[in-house]
Amino acid sequence: MAKLKHFDILKIQHYVIFITLVGFASCKNTPEHLIQLTGKQIAIDSNYTSVDSIQKFILPYHEHVETILDSTLAYAPYTITKTDGKFNTTAGNLMADIVLSEANPVFKSRTGENIDMVLLNHGGIRSVISKGNVTSRTAYEVMPFENSVVVVELKGEALLKMVDYLIQSKRAHPVAGIQLVLNKNNTVKTFTVGGKVIDKDKSYFVATSDYLVTGGDNMTFFKDALSKTETDYKIRNAMIDFFSKVDTIAPKVDLRYYQLQ
């Protein structure tokens, strides 16, 4: 099975913007000065026909990108989705576990510390992973955004705010590195990080996305961060790297976050 490293693809929008810059320079050694900036957006639709010479020039590059995107990296024995569990899902567990396994070496090499847990958002998962071959295109479908992994240092007290958020949101936000067990009345029975009961005064390193760390999805508890480490590692690229290392992708709905019946 061919294995490919991750890469970034240029996103081609369905319009072209022409910008005209007008400037002037004196005869002396003074720099040019911008005096006018104009732009016009031209929609590309069926009224425009392709130019053969341009199409022939682009075709080899297009075919190369398509080949890379569709090369098989791994295999999914069943459909992986974010709707197959109430408190955690196969897609969410896969995403969170990938961020933990792939971003931790980067974080440790820069700080000497380990990531304690991961929190992503349910809405950030944009597609199922269908049964069958898993490719780089799969990663782009699941994570079409340019979000990168950020590791935030939080006190245990802030993690308790995170737990309140998870309970109140009533969504299966992807988590890893923790176990959260709720009583029937939605109160917390147990909450552990790395198998240990939470310590309010201890610092924990939480991997998340650059979108969430700024308060996206109302995750305002991240404002209590003691420190923040940018990994410069896109979540999508972490997915592709993980897919390249394994043969079969088979995440399960498990007991990392559940409610007693």
Side-chain angles (χ1 to χ4, degrees):
M1 184 179 294
K3 301 292 184 181
L4 300 173
K5 285 294 183 181
H6 69 70
F7 56 92
D8 290 316
I9 302 294
L10 291 176
K11 291 165 285 299
I12 302 174
Q13 304 294 336
H14 296 291
Y15 56 81
V16 175
I17 297 177
F18 289 96
I19 298 177
T20 302
L21 302 177
V22 180
F24 69 88
S26 70
C27 296
K28 298 181 180 179
N29 293 326
T30 56
E32 294 184 352
H33 298 278
L34 180 67
I35 59 173
Q36 185 179 359
L37 173 64
T38 61
K40 181 170 67 171
Q41 179 173 305
I42 301 176
I44 298 177
D45 53 30
S46 58
N47 294 323
Y48 288 85
T49 58
S50 61
V51 178
D52 288 342
S53 60
I54 296 177
Q55 194 169 24
K56 288 179 181 178
F57 177 79
I58 294 175
L59 184 60
Y61 302 97
H62 173 76
E63 290 178 341
H64 178 65
V65 169
E66 292 294 307
T67 298
I68 293 175
L69 282 173
D70 292 327
S71 295
T72 299
L73 301 177
Y75 180 79
Y78 48 80
T79 297
I80 300 167
T81 175
K82 68 176 184 179
T83 60
D84 53 8
K86 182 177 180 180
F87 295 96
N88 68 89
T89 68
T90 53
N93 292 350
L94 176 66
M95 292 279 286
D97 289 345
I98 286 175
V99 168
L100 183 59
S101 67
E102 302 305 304
N104 190 60
V106 177
F107 179 66
K108 188 170 185 177
S109 69
R110 296 184 183 182
T111 66
E113 303 284 353
N114 286 304
I115 294 172
D116 293 300
M117 63 162 291
V118 175
L119 172 63
L120 303 174
N121 62 320
H122 183 267
I125 303 172
R126 291 296 177 153
S127 175
V128 303
I129 297 178
S130 299
K131 177 181 178 180
N133 292 337
V134 177
T135 66
S136 294
R137 189 185 298 277
T138 304
Y140 275 82
E141 291 169 347
V142 175
M143 174 53 68
F145 311 109
E146 298 299 304
N147 295 131
S148 296
V149 179
V150 177
V151 182
V152 176
E153 182 182 4
L154 292 174
K155 284 286 190 183
E157 186 131 11
L159 292 192
L160 295 179
K161 294 180 183 179
M162 181 201 75
V163 169
D164 289 338
Y165 171 87
L166 289 174
I167 295 171
Q168 293 171 17
S169 69
K170 301 185 185 303
R171 304 189 78 185
H173 293 298
V175 295
I178 72 167
Q179 184 181 47
L180 175 59
V181 183
L182 303 182
N183 293 307
K184 292 182 180 180
N185 62 355
N186 286 328
T187 58
V188 177
K189 179 176 177 59
T190 59
F191 174 48
T192 59
V193 178
K196 297 180 180 179
V197 176
I198 192 76
D199 182 343
K200 289 184 180 181
D201 298 319
K202 181 181 175 181
S203 291
Y204 297 86
F205 294 101
V206 183
T208 186
S209 75
D210 53 357
Y211 166 67
L212 298 178
V213 81
T214 58
D217 263 9
N218 295 314
M219 295 191 185
T220 55
F221 46 85
F222 280 125
K223 72 179 181 1
D224 297 329
L226 302 175
S227 67
K228 184 173 68 173
T229 303
E230 304 278 354
T231 66
D232 306 309
Y233 195 10
K234 287 184 172 57
I235 296 175
R236 181 198 307 121
N237 289 346
M239 293 177 64
I240 294 173
D241 286 344
F242 178 81
F243 294 161
S244 299
K245 296 176 182 178
V246 300
D247 178 77
T248 303
I249 300 169
K252 303 290 185 182
V253 174
D254 56 28
L255 298 179
R256 68 185 66 192
Y257 180 21
Y258 71 100
Q259 186 174 35
L260 298 174
Q261 299 301 313

